[in-house]
Amino acid sequence: MGAGDQRTLYRQTHRLTSGTQEITVTVDEKPARAGVDPFTLLIDRETEDNMTTVTRAE
């Protein structure tokens, strides 16, 4: 997957509460990144922290 590959592999709404959250998602391809509100649909002052690299569950 190249840096320009921006395909959406999974898009679903999950209600988040305060504190640590863990969501497990299974997709057909290896994702490069995952995020909370990656399309910036909600008001957010710090959009840079919405995305993270993906790690494989053990």
Side-chain angles (χ1 to χ4, degrees):
M1 238 180 221
D5 193 352
Q6 297 292 318
R7 290 178 296 125
T8 301
L9 301 178
Y10 178 85
R11 184 173 179 179
Q12 184 67 40
T13 301
H14 295 272
R15 183 167 300 276
L16 302 176
T17 58
S18 62
T20 302
Q21 304 292 305
E22 182 175 322
I23 298 172
T24 302
V25 175
T26 303
V27 293
D28 293 333
E29 300 176 35
K30 181 182 177 185
R33 299 178 301 147
V36 174
D37 193 23
F39 302 107
T40 318
L41 300 175
L42 303 172
I43 297 171
D44 189 353
R45 292 182 181 162
E46 296 182 35
T47 59
E48 295 80 28
D49 65 352
N50 289 1
M51 301 293 290
T52 187
T53 56
V54 175
T55 58
R56 184 181 178 109
E58 296 182 23

